[in-house]
Amino acid sequence: MAIKKETKYIFVVGGVISGVGKGVTASSLGLILKNRGLNVTAIKIDPYINVDAGTMNPTEHGEVFVLSDGDETDQDMGNYERFMDLNLTRINYMTTGRVYKTVIEKERNLEYKGKCVEVVPHIPLEVIGRIKKAGEMAKADVVIVEVGGTIGEYQNILFLEAARMLKMESPKDVIFVMVSYLPTPGKIGEMKTKPTQYAVRTLNASGIQPDFLIARGESNLDEKRKEKLSIFCSMPCERVISAPDVDSIYDIPINFEKEKLSDKLCDILGVACKKPDAKLWNAWKNFAKYSHNGKEVVKIGVVGKYFDSGDYMLSDSYLSVIEAIKYSAYSQGRKPIISWLNSVDYEKHPEKLKELKKFDGIVVPGGFGSRGVEGNLKVVKFVRENKIPYFGLCYGMQMMVIEYARNVLGLKDAHTREVSPSSKHLVIDIMESQKEILKNNLYGGSMRLGNYDAVLRDGTIARNSYGKKEIVERHRHRYEVNPSFIGDLEQAGLVFSGRSPDGHLMEICELPKNKHPFFLGTQFHPEFLAHPLRPHPLFTAFIKACIPKKK
Ligand code: GLN
């Protein structure tokens, strides 16, 4: 397949340490190029054997980000969508497992016409095919491809080989950006370039020479170090770009432009770019500025269970939720202070519940399985009775329904089949379409995933927040509100304000404003559609409800 002339490819790779910021770098490159009038798309390559991120525990891999078509992907895809304002689909995400699976299926279908199918070249060729297809589908001027993992490890070698082969095919259309880490050892007190030099040499051993170096570290690079890196990594000084630690990731594209990176990228790619788009750039700069305005705060407690990974608290598990809170808080002139509350704690220490009064609002995000559920239910009861604003996302909505059934309807053993299948009152039950799937252990990619429509009831918080009657939101669940309890729950005061168009599936529930300032849950994940420049209406309604309490 010949490359469409005008499509350019930027591969982003990482050196020295994992978590160096490739995802945010790739996202920022996309934004600054979009700002110069280029049509950009992005691809994430994860070196795992997992076919998608859906079967991975969030404490191991971070949040599972769901695309509109239901693909369960890496959290970086969320960063791409938010920074570049894209709507990505499964062609924009690949893993080792996904690539091998396709190649093996093709082989079984005789698509290789009797040839011996080998790791090289067939795996890299499949990767290249996917990269080109994503570019074609988006009619992209530039495709940004982030290669997961760190240079020098075994797992991403075939993806680097694909990149090298694509560069061979069309040298002028492919460039490499290496994001590397420069440590400043405490006792030495100066930024060290050697690990990066080694990382570049290791990349060279794969036949690839980086065109740009994004130098991550505590501070800006001085001229001396830029020169050193330029000499030892074989690139002009002006292509060594400082990327110091920042308080807000949204400053990164702005910092890149201080080094005129979009000009330099367009220059080396040989693409004609426009003047910066003043409207987009000013909006972004304004938004980034909010994150530094700290006068008025709004204190949000997020009650979850995917925090504890050894000694670390991994807020990565709920990345989109945190960002969605930020966008809505900034839009209301507030700086959010987010506290992590472990649901398991409230099971052992119910006396801790009263600490929830310190917060302006509580969020219970998505989750799976039984751990922490009783703690969550205690939290929901407490915030309902004490009129603390509450926003439940997916599992957080299911918790609302169970709590209401237990403590208002009086169905003491009300539960979800996911946790207590023998309960007499399964107010949350498995969706009909899921029964066969679970019986056959077909767990991967089989939930109710991605975009589904919902219709909102007039006069409700949901309807007023969206300002429209029909919505589309992203989903990821197997269980639903059991239709046989809806009548009783509504009679007891819980309002199902959003339903699937056929009326069968409950998508949003809430208590009326005269009963509670904000007690609302969604079966879908609104956090996936929150955008820096377009905060999500339900998160904004929640934050607004949190504010009057704070005087
Ligand atoms: N475990 C619940 C279900 O499968 C909720 C899922 C979620 O919170 N994403 O329905």
Side-chain angles (χ1 to χ4, degrees), residues 45-261:
I45 296 177
D46 261 337
Y48 309 106
I49 298 287
N50 302 60
V51 172
D52 57 42
T55 49
M56 280 185 254
N57 187 327
T59 49
E60 285 216 7
H61 180 258
E63 165 187 274
V64 177
F65 188 83
V66 181
L67 304 182
S68 56
D69 67 357
D71 201 17
E72 297 173 283
T73 70
D74 179 79
Q75 61 187 36
D76 279 328
M77 299 294 280
N79 281 326
Y80 301 167
E81 286 202 345
R82 292 187 282 258
F83 275 67
M84 300 179 230
D85 205 358
L86 297 173
N87 181 17
L88 300 169
T89 61
R90 61 186 69 238
I91 192 68
N92 299 87
Y93 182 66
M94 70 181 107
T95 65
T96 299
R98 184 170 292 191
V99 172
Y100 268 86
K101 192 166 178 267
T102 311
V103 170
I104 292 168
E105 275 162 13
K106 281 186 181 169
E107 185 276 324
R108 292 288 81 186
N109 298 341
L110 222 57
E111 283 183 45
Y112 294 103
K113 301 194 167 49
K115 276 211 188 94
C116 171
V117 182
E118 297 183 88
V119 170
V120 179
H122 293 102
I123 296 296
L125 284 175
E126 174 63 29
V127 174
I128 291 172
R130 284 166 176 262
I131 292 172
K132 287 181 180 174
K133 183 140 181 243
E136 272 165 27
M137 280 173 66
K139 298 193 174 51
D141 301 311
V142 181
V143 183
I144 296 172
V145 188
E146 179 189 343
V147 181
T150 311
I151 295 307
E153 67 186 27
Y154 189 73
Q155 305 201 57
N156 54 19
I157 282 177
L158 288 170
F159 297 110
L160 295 175
E161 179 63 2
R164 188 191 68 82
M165 284 164 63
L166 189 62
K167 172 96 182 171
M168 288 235 307
E169 187 181 317
S170 190
K172 286 209 289 296
D173 295 326
V174 178
I175 66 165
F176 292 89
V177 174
M178 169 131 162
V179 189
S180 192
Y181 184 67
L182 286 89
T184 308
K187 284 276 190 298
I188 301 172
E190 82 176 46
M191 231 176 175
K192 302 307 269 180
T193 63
K194 197 78 75 190
T196 293
Q197 295 178 35
Y198 286 136
V200 169
R201 279 193 204 157
T202 309
L203 185 60
N204 289 159
S206 307
I208 294 170
Q209 165 61 30
D211 298 280
F212 286 87
L213 197 63
I214 307 290
R216 290 277 302 108
E218 275 175 26
S219 51
N220 274 310
L221 288 174
D222 55 10
E223 279 314 304
K224 193 173 151 209
R225 255 151 280 263
K226 275 200 177 185
E227 275 164 27
K228 215 171 177 179
L229 286 165
S230 156
I231 293 167
F232 290 109
C233 304
S234 321
M235 71 183 72
C237 247
E238 64 271 15
R239 294 209 218 128
V240 181
I241 309 289
S242 281
D245 290 344
V246 283
D247 291 332
S248 159
I249 54 169
Y250 301 107
D251 288 335
I252 291 170
I254 299 169
N255 289 347
F256 281 172
E257 281 308 64
K258 286 185 188 147
E259 301 222 24
K260 299 200 177 342
L261 186 53

Side-chain angles (χ1 to χ4, degrees), residues 66 306 364-369 393-399 416 418-419 428-431 434 447-448 475-480 522-525 527-528:
V66 181
Y306 299 123
V364 172
F368 294 84
L393 312 171
C394 205
Y395 222 16
M397 165 181 162
Q398 296 177 357
M399 294 298 129
T416 164
E418 184 174 356
V419 176
I428 305 294
D429 206 348
I430 182 114
M431 280 185 279
Q434 290 286 329
M447 283 185 245
R448 181 172 179 251
H475 296 69
R476 183 172 187 247
H477 64 120
R478 285 192 208 280
Y479 298 84
E480 60 161 329
T522 59
Q523 186 57 80
F524 50 83
H525 290 270
E527 67 271 23
F528 295 142

Side-chain angles (χ1 to χ4, degrees), residues 245-511:
D245 290 344
V246 283
D247 291 332
S248 159
I249 54 169
Y250 301 107
D251 288 335
I252 291 170
I254 299 169
N255 289 347
F256 281 172
E257 281 308 64
K258 286 185 188 147
E259 301 222 24
K260 299 200 177 342
L261 186 53
S262 67
D263 278 334
K264 293 175 188 173
L265 285 166
C266 291
D267 194 37
I268 187 172
L269 285 169
V271 289
C273 62
K274 297 195 180 124
K275 277 211 205 105
D277 172 346
K279 202 170 147 220
L280 169 65
W281 200 237
N282 288 336
W284 189 271
K285 283 208 290 207
N286 268 335
F287 159 74
K289 210 161 60 191
Y290 285 138
S291 55
H292 302 288
N293 292 347
K295 269 194 236 125
E296 297 248 48
V297 301
V298 56
K299 287 185 258 160
I300 306 296
V302 179
V303 185
K305 63 175 176 182
Y306 299 123
F307 306 140
D308 29 23
S309 166
D311 288 338
Y312 299 95
M313 298 280 271
L314 281 182
S315 46
D316 265 13
S317 316
Y318 302 110
L319 187 71
S320 295
V321 177
I322 302 168
E323 299 311 296
I325 293 172
K326 283 186 192 167
Y327 307 154
S328 288
Y330 296 160
S331 79
Q332 301 305 305
R334 300 279 165 145
K335 191 183 180 88
I337 311 274
I338 298 172
S339 303
W340 303 109
L341 309 170
N342 197 336
S343 51
V344 182
D345 272 1
Y346 300 105
E347 292 173 3
K348 294 186 209 132
H349 306 285
E351 71 284 359
K352 279 194 173 176
L353 283 167
K354 55 181 182 298
E355 290 172 10
L356 297 175
K357 286 191 176 167
K358 288 194 305 214
F359 298 100
D360 300 315
I362 296 293
V363 174
V364 172
F368 294 84
S370 60
R371 195 167 66 87
V373 159
E374 288 304 321
N376 268 332
L377 290 167
K378 286 196 167 77
V379 168
V380 177
K381 179 168 189 279
F382 188 86
V383 301
R384 182 177 57 76
E385 291 177 345
N386 289 279
K387 303 210 185 316
I388 300 168
Y390 172 86
F391 195 12
L393 312 171
C394 205
Y395 222 16
M397 165 181 162
Q398 296 177 357
M399 294 298 129
M400 278 171 78
V401 173
I402 298 168
E403 189 276 326
Y404 210 78
R406 284 190 188 178
N407 302 316
V408 181
L409 266 187
L411 307 175
K412 288 294 166 223
D413 77 333
H415 225 311
T416 164
R417 185 181 291 277
E418 184 174 356
V419 176
S420 172
S422 61
S423 156
K424 268 215 268 351
H425 300 101
L426 289 171
V427 291
I428 305 294
D429 206 348
I430 182 114
M431 280 185 279
E432 202 45 47
S433 55
Q434 290 286 329
K435 286 185 180 159
E436 207 51 29
I437 291 173
L438 288 198
K439 216 161 76 195
N440 296 314
N441 290 342
L442 299 171
Y443 290 102
S446 64
M447 283 185 245
R448 181 172 179 251
L449 290 167
N451 275 7
Y452 285 94
D453 299 343
V455 181
L456 307 179
R457 185 190 289 185
D458 288 337
T460 58
I461 297 176
R463 171 73 175 82
N464 293 337
S465 306
Y466 279 98
K468 56 181 175 183
K469 208 168 165 55
E470 281 154 32
I471 58 164
V472 183
E473 291 278 359
R474 297 188 188 173
H475 296 69
R476 183 172 187 247
H477 64 120
R478 285 192 208 280
Y479 298 84
E480 60 161 329
V481 181
N482 184 340
S484 40
F485 289 94
I486 289 164
D488 288 349
L489 286 162
E490 287 221 299
Q491 213 144 48
L494 196 62
V495 177
F496 289 96
S497 51
R499 297 176 188 226
S500 57
D502 64 8
H504 292 329
L505 267 164
M506 298 304 110
E507 292 278 11
I508 308 179
C509 69
E510 59 182 81
L511 278 182

